[in-house]
């Protein structure tokens, strides 16, 4: 049986924990755990083995009452080898098994004691033919292929074996052999068979000619725009917009998806004259009390981010209508919404969200123009023009990536030693600046802040000197003259204090000379809303090239994970 990580726990255990190593079976479990309790050490890594050495477990989630349970078990002379919350689960199962000799009953009794989220797999020396497990506030799917059962929390892990998979639902406990999975729903109190859903083809997960997924996925943006334009059903957009028209709109997301939500606030206000409440998912419920009068748009690439799901569930409980915009088919967010919209960008494997962010913006834009048409903020011709613009965007983004990537790389090369920077913008470019700053710090490990250009003078300007530079996103001079001159004033204030400024904008390339910019990259304007997508791609390329020059682990930056499924 494949249970690594034994040595260090034997001193503490009652029995010899090496039992698993000496067993010959074809069962294997493993888990990449994002550190939550205790440092990244061998002892804290999964699987965890019960103190009696008879059970081993991998767990995704958080046991909120683990301290109390641990104390209780320690009083019963059960020893712990790690600082993790997960180890209490396996020790509780072992304890209850010793009382009833029934694995399923031990699992059920254990789950009744746990508070938090717990999706786990369990193996035991008492049954060498099965993996046991449960799904509670997490995601877990499986497929049976040619005498082998693969169980995983991510569709990508199942993709090499099958084009579809079966996903457990909340409260399911199961027993899997290599030919069969028996699933019992503790909520429905009966044996159940869950639905099979399509998952991405394994070939879409190859890096092909690219050296990492981030650059591959940035390059896939034009194709993703094409698919989005073809697949997003106008009828569905109309249904969503009609409901939003009647309701108070809220938009939520975490990380990059939160910055898209903020872009949404500007887009809905400007194109559809619709106010919205937007907060980061982790804070939303501390500020806002949902009611049935709300319509929530929940943005999440993975559809599994804990904080976003938490908000979604609260809104749902209160009777609000939910639109979920996700890139993962069958994700928890998709399942829990009345209006699930699938981004269909193809798998996004890099921790850094790129193509998926761009598509979220386009979907929000499409909902907003549909609402604008319904409530009279837009005329039919304006709506038609905005729709056409979203088609044009594909080729403009494609040309931008092909023609400007090298130019952006050269700027990144020149700036690589400077470890502090601001990303600034006004209007729609304010959330663009915040998202670009997040991308930059996530992957370069350099300090950056995304702020509105107008707020610089209220404190942050004190940081400016030769060792601090600024990336600015400029509105188009003709279309938004006032905003343009406003940010140019802010830029001169930075320059007056010795700070270098690099800018992205849509005006002619003479800009750099006229305004003493140390570099200027021009995008081809489409319209001010969709130009955000071009600026976001520019920010992604800038972060990417800097990280590549610094030789960072681009697809898996330190301390981060693709989907944070814990609170
Ligand atoms: C993690 C990632 C971020 C991402 C966020 C939200 O924190 O490190 O890059 O933006 O999750 O992910 P979601 O799947 O909800 O869009």
């Amino acid at each position: 049986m494949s249970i690594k990580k034994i040595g260090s726990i034997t001193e503490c255990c009652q029995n010899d924990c090496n039992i698993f190593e000496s067993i010959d079976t074809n069962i294997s479990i493993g888990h990449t755990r994002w550190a939550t309790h205790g440092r990244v050490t061998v002892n804290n890594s999964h699987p965890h083995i019960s103190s009696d050495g008879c059970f081993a477990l991998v767990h995704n989630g958080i046991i909120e009452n683990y301290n109390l349970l641990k104390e209780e078990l320690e009083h019963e002379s059960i020893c712990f080898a790690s600082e993790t919350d997960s180890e209490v689960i396996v020790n509780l199962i072992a304890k209850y098994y010793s009382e009833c000799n029934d694995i399923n009953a031990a699992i059920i009794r254990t789950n009744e004691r746990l508070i938090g989220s717990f999706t786990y797999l369990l193996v035991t020396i008492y049954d060498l033919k099965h993996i046991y497990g449960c799904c509670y506030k997490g995601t877990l799917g499986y497929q049976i292929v040619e005498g082998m059962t693969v169980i995983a929390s991510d569709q990508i892990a199942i993709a090499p074996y099958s084009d579809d998979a079966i996903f457990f639902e909340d409260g399911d406990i199961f027993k899997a052999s290599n030919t069969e999975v028996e699933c019992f729903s503790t909520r429905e109190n009966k044996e159940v068979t869950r639905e099979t859903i399509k998952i991405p083809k394994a070939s879409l997960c190859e890096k092909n000619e690219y050296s990492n997924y981030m650059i591959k996925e940035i390059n896939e943006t034009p194709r993703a725009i094409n698919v989005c334009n073809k697949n997003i059903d106008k009828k569905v957009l109309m249904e969503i917009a009609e409901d939003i028209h009647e309701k108070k709109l809220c938009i939520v997301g975490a990380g990059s998806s939160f910055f898209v939500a903020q872009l949404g606030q500007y887009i809905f206000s400007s194109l559809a004259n619709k106010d919205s409440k937007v907060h980061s998912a982790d804070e939303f419920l501390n500020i806002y009390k949902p009611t049935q009068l709300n319509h929530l748009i929940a943005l999440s690439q993975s559809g599994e981010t804990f904080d976003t799901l938490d908000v979604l569930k609260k809104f749902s409980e209160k009777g609000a209508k939910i639109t979920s915009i996700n890139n993962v088919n069958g994700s928890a967010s998709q399942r829990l919404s009345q209006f699930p919209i699938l981004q269909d960008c193809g798998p996004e494997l890099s921790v850094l969200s790129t193509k998926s962010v761009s598509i979220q913006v386009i979907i929000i834009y499409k909902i907003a123009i549909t609402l604008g048409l319904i409530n009279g903020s837009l005329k039919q011709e304006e709506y038609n023009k905005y729709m056409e613009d979203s088609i044009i965007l594909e080729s403009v983004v494609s040309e931008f990536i092909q023609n400007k990537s090298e130019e952006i790389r050269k700027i990144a090369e020149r700036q690589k030693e400077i470890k502090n920077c601001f990303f600034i913008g006004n209007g729609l470019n304010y959330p663009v600046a915040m998202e670009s700053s997040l991308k930059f710090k996530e992957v370069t490990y350099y300090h950056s802040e995304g702020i509105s250009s107008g707020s610089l003078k209220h404190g942050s300007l004190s940081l400016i000197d030769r060792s601090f530079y600024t990336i600015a996103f400029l509105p188009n001079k003709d279309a938004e003259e006032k905003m343009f001159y406003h940010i140019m004033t802010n830029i001169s204030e930075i320059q007056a204090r010795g700070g270098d400024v690099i800018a992205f904008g849509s005006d002619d390339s003479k800009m750099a000379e006229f305004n003493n910019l140390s570099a200027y990259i021009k995008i081809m304007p489409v319209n001010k809303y969709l130009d955000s997508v071009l600026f976001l791609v520019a920010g992604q390329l800038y972060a990417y090239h800097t990280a590549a020059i610094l030789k960072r682990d681009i697809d898996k930056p330190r301390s981060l994970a693709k989907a944070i499924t814990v609170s």
Side-chain angles (χ1 to χ4, degrees):
M1 184 173 282
S2 170
I3 299 285
K4 302 263 185 274
K5 199 207 76 153
I6 293 285
S8 50
I9 47 175
T10 47
E11 303 152 33
C12 161
C13 291
Q14 294 159 0
N15 295 325
D16 182 0
C17 292
N18 284 316
I19 305 171
F20 282 106
E21 274 195 334
S22 56
I23 293 170
D24 186 18
T25 150
N26 56 4
I27 290 177
S28 173
I29 57 173
H31 182 35
T32 309
R33 172 80 179 191
W34 188 76
T36 56
H37 297 72
R39 292 180 61 80
V40 181
T41 61
V42 172
N43 276 9
N44 288 336
S45 67
H46 294 226
H48 292 287
I49 297 169
S50 57
S51 169
D52 65 4
C54 300
F55 292 85
L57 165 140
V58 292
H59 162 226
N60 193 7
I62 299 281
I63 306 305
E64 289 163 13
N65 59 337
Y66 86 101
N67 261 331
L68 287 175
L69 295 170
K70 189 169 179 177
E71 213 179 289
E72 175 188 314
L73 290 165
E74 278 172 341
H75 271 115
E76 294 170 26
S77 305
I78 290 171
C79 298
F80 283 78
S82 77
E83 299 155 89
T84 68
D85 54 337
S86 311
E87 203 184 347
V88 300
I89 311 176
V90 73
N91 276 313
L92 274 177
I93 292 173
K95 170 184 143 144
Y96 290 133
Y97 180 82
S98 71
E99 291 167 14
C100 66
N101 278 336
D102 180 328
I103 301 166
N104 280 321
I107 288 175
I108 290 172
R109 280 181 71 184
T110 298
N111 291 355
E112 282 165 1
R113 305 279 326 271
L114 304 175
I115 298 175
S117 48
F118 38 96
T119 294
Y120 61 76
L121 298 180
L122 175 85
V123 290
T124 171
I125 60 158
Y126 300 117
D127 178 354
L128 299 176
K129 292 213 159 65
H130 294 96
I131 292 179
Y132 291 78
C134 87
C135 184
Y136 189 79
K137 292 193 184 168
T139 292
L140 201 62
Y142 71 93
Q143 190 49 285
I144 303 166
V145 248
E146 292 167 15
M148 172 175 75
T149 301
V150 190
I151 310 171
S153 57
D154 197 322
Q155 299 185 358
I156 307 293
I158 305 175
Y161 308 99
S162 174
D163 288 349
D164 52 28
I166 297 107
F167 281 81
F168 297 109
E169 291 185 13
D170 240 23
D172 286 356
I173 61 172
F174 62 87
K175 178 179 170 185
S177 71
N178 56 348
T179 52
E180 188 186 18
V181 175
E182 294 164 43
C183 179
F184 181 83
S185 163
T186 55
R187 304 225 153 149
E188 296 161 54
N189 200 21
K190 61 175 190 195
E191 297 272 338
V192 284
T193 311
R194 298 300 182 196
E195 220 183 303
T196 303
I197 63 156
K198 280 257 158 260
I199 60 172
K201 288 199 186 323
S203 58
L204 296 174
C205 305
E206 300 293 327
K207 273 191 222 147
N208 303 329
E209 74 268 28
Y210 296 100
S211 50
N212 54 66
Y213 286 109
M214 185 179 178
I215 194 65
K216 175 182 185 243
E217 288 159 9
I218 294 174
N219 274 282
E220 284 170 346
T221 308
R223 199 185 147 268
I225 296 173
N226 181 292
V227 173
C228 170
N229 283 331
K230 283 197 182 125
N231 287 5
I232 304 287
D233 189 348
K234 281 192 184 166
K235 235 175 68 205
V236 174
L237 292 174
M238 192 54 88
E239 282 170 26
I240 293 170
E242 270 165 4
D243 195 69
I244 293 176
H245 183 43
E246 305 292 328
K247 304 274 173 63
K248 293 183 188 165
L249 176 62
C250 293
I251 317 176
V252 69
S256 297
S257 297
F258 167 54
F259 296 124
V260 177
Q262 289 204 318
L263 263 165
Q265 191 171 29
Y266 283 87
I267 295 175
F268 273 104
S269 157
S270 176
L271 284 170
N273 200 16
K274 181 81 182 173
D275 277 346
S276 51
K277 287 269 178 239
V278 177
H279 300 291
S280 178
D282 57 314
E283 278 299 319
F284 212 118
L285 299 170
N286 297 336
I287 303 173
Y288 195 81
K289 305 269 169 286
T291 72
Q292 58 183 13
L293 299 176
N294 286 122
H295 186 115
L296 176 76
I297 300 183
L299 293 154
S300 170
Q301 188 283 136
S302 58
E304 302 289 349
T305 296
F306 181 92
D307 292 334
T308 310
L309 274 175
D310 201 28
V311 176
L312 191 160
K313 285 175 187 163
K314 274 284 157 9
F315 271 72
S316 195
E317 272 167 37
K318 297 288 175 193
K321 288 278 187 289
I322 318 282
T323 294
S324 270
I325 302 178
N326 314 109
N327 195 33
V328 179
N329 190 19
S331 59
S333 297
Q334 292 271 294
R335 294 197 302 268
L336 296 168
S337 309
Q338 288 83 12
F339 304 107
I341 299 194
L342 189 63
Q343 296 177 215
D344 226 350
C345 304
E348 193 178 68
L349 284 99
S350 176
V351 164
L352 285 287
S353 225
T354 54
K355 59 179 176 177
S356 160
V357 168
S358 299
I359 300 309
Q360 287 177 347
V361 176
I362 298 167
I363 296 171
I364 289 277
Y365 165 88
K366 287 185 185 237
I367 300 173
I369 57 175
T370 311
L371 178 62
L373 186 66
I374 292 176
N375 69 15
S377 304
L378 295 180
K379 298 196 189 80
Q380 184 69 50
E381 312 82 80
E382 291 173 304
Y383 168 87
N384 293 348
K385 169 76 173 67
Y386 282 131
M387 269 295 182
E388 275 163 33
D389 286 349
S390 64
I391 311 281
I392 296 167
L393 185 69
E394 179 192 344
S395 60
V396 180
V397 171
S398 174
E399 276 166 35
F400 180 79
I401 297 171
Q402 274 167 35
N403 301 338
K404 301 289 177 167
S405 187
E406 180 53 19
E407 234 179 287
I408 295 173
R409 194 198 64 75
K410 284 187 184 142
I411 303 171
E413 173 70 51
R414 202 183 66 209
Q415 300 292 128
K416 66 174 189 286
E417 302 299 340
I418 305 179
K419 299 185 176 156
N420 295 295
C421 65
F422 283 133
F423 286 78
I424 63 168
N426 51 7
L428 286 152
N429 289 339
Y430 170 34
V432 165
M434 288 191 284
E435 161 56 9
S436 301
S437 164
L438 176 71
K439 204 105 296 171
F440 186 79
K441 72 180 101 171
E442 274 184 308
V443 72
T444 65
Y445 317 150
Y446 278 177
H447 168 236
S448 76
E449 289 178 51
I451 52 178
S452 62
S453 57
S455 71
L456 263 174
K457 58 183 173 293
H458 299 298
S460 307
L461 210 50
S462 67
L463 292 175
I464 296 289
D465 60 18
R466 289 237 147 267
S467 67
F468 213 106
Y469 74 105
T470 302
I471 314 270
F473 297 95
L474 309 180
N476 186 276
K477 188 161 65 176
D478 300 326
E480 292 183 280
E481 202 180 4
K482 197 166 158 227
M483 284 207 345
F484 176 82
Y485 285 112
H486 192 169
I487 192 168
M488 292 322 290
T489 307
N490 303 140
I491 286 176
S492 350
E493 287 159 0
I494 296 168
Q495 290 164 332
R497 285 153 183 84
D500 246 8
V501 180
I502 297 156
F504 293 96
S506 54
D507 290 290
D508 74 37
S509 348
K510 293 262 186 296
M511 282 279 302
E513 293 163 39
F514 292 156
N515 296 290
N516 291 324
L517 298 172
S518 65
Y520 177 72
I521 306 268
K522 185 175 184 285
I523 59 150
M524 279 298 296
V526 177
N527 70 43
K528 72 172 179 181
Y529 309 98
L530 294 178
D531 290 352
S532 307
V533 173
L534 284 148
F535 286 135
L536 287 168
V537 172
Q540 292 161 7
L541 285 169
Y542 188 71
Y544 167 73
H545 284 303
T546 311
I549 293 161
L550 295 169
K551 300 204 176 351
R552 301 297 193 230
D553 189 352
I554 290 181
D555 289 330
K556 294 194 184 99
R558 70 182 181 200
S559 300
L560 303 180
K562 183 73 184 151
I564 309 287
T565 52
V566 293
S567 57

